[in-house]
Every structure is written in C-alpha cells, then in structure tokens.
Amino acid sequence: MRVSILLMVLFSSIVGCHSSSKTKTDDSSMHWQRTEMYFGQTRRDGSAISEKDWKKFLDETIVPKFPSGLTVLNEDGRWRDVNGVIHIEGSHVLVVLYPLNDDEAQSKLDEIAREYCVKFDQEAVMRLDSDEQLRFIEPK
C-alpha cells in the first residue's frame, strides 16, 4: 500500500513538470534519467540502523532535495564478502526520476550518499543510473 502511494506521488509530480523539462522522442514519450540508490541497514560493526533513524534521514535529508517526488522500496538483499560468506541485509532502495543531464539532481544524489555513509558508518551506497523512456498511458 505504502509503495503504491509513493508511486502515485512520484508519477503525479512528473505529470506536473513534464511539459517544461523533457526530451521528447514523439508525442507520447520522454527520455528521463532514473537513479536507484541502495542504502544498507547494517553498520560496519554489525549493528542495525533503526527504522526510526532511516525515516528521519529520509524526511530530513532526502525529501527536501527531491520534494517533487521519489519512491522508496524496502528490500532484503544478499551479498558475498571477500571471504566468500553470504550476508543477508535489509536495505532501502531510493528511486528518483529526473530530466536527462540534470547536473543539480546528480550532485544532490551524491551528497545524499556521502551523508548516509558518514552518518551510518557505511562503506558505500550503491548507485545505479539508467536512461529511461517515460510514457503515461491515459484512459481513452
């Protein structure tokens, strides 16, 4: 339910701004940048980052930088360390869509990752960027 609400907020915010900042490919689609960032929920010492601390970081650090909309997914990740041991770690995945070549958005995302690493003793935040073709399908 929460994910559905966040997706509706994200898409409604894009509708409101898509006419002024887009790269048109035809009458119905636009090219945008999509960034996913993976925020691990375990510190290097093995202690958990509380949901309260995550939500505070989200509300105070991330949302002010992207007030037009974003999506957060809660995930259960797996990763292998240098010794071959598989670890299970909860994570939050931030998904943000913004116009191509938006240097300000790129900088804000890097700032968020650095702040998270410092605040929660993380080695890194994984960031995945891709170009997306965005379209809205409306009822006839």
Side-chain angles (χ1 to χ4, degrees):
M1 178 70 170
R2 180 176 284 167
V3 171
S4 297
I5 292 170
L6 288 172
L7 285 171
M8 288 183 340
V9 168
L10 172 67
F11 292 133
S12 66
S13 67
I14 292 170
V15 170
C17 65
H18 82 280
S19 63
S20 63
S21 55
K22 63 184 175 183
T23 302
K24 277 289 247 169
T25 57
D26 61 33
D27 287 339
S28 64
S29 66
M30 301 161 281
H31 279 115
W32 282 64
Q33 184 80 27
R34 174 190 171 114
T35 297
E36 293 179 14
M37 295 176 68
Y38 293 75
F39 297 88
Q41 295 299 289
T42 307
R43 291 179 175 85
R44 284 191 257 194
D45 67 5
S47 63
I49 297 166
S50 72
E51 194 63 22
K52 179 181 175 185
D53 286 341
W54 162 253
K55 286 182 180 178
K56 182 176 180 184
F57 183 80
L58 176 65
D59 292 339
E60 294 178 1
T61 305
I62 299 174
V63 172
K65 288 179 172 53
F66 292 95
S68 293
L70 55 90
T71 300
V72 176
L73 307 170
N74 297 316
E75 300 295 335
D76 184 26
R78 309 284 194 275
W79 59 279
R80 183 185 317 246
D81 69 16
V82 294
N83 298 316
V85 176
I86 303 286
H87 296 268
I88 300 170
E89 179 179 13
S91 65
H92 295 290
V93 180
L94 172 68
V95 180
V96 181
L97 295 169
Y98 49 93
L100 283 176
N101 304 315
D102 184 338
D103 293 336
E104 184 178 354
Q106 297 277 348
S107 294
K108 287 177 181 180
L109 290 163
D110 287 345
E111 288 172 20
I112 289 167
R114 287 186 192 102
E115 286 181 49
Y116 189 80
C117 287
V118 170
K119 184 172 186 73
F120 296 109
D121 191 27
Q122 298 288 296
E123 209 172 296
V125 170
M126 186 172 78
R127 178 176 168 171
L128 177 65
D129 295 307
S130 60
D131 294 345
E132 302 292 337
Q133 186 171 343
L134 181 115
R135 291 186 324 147
F136 292 97
I137 311 297
E138 298 176 356
K140 291 186 177 194

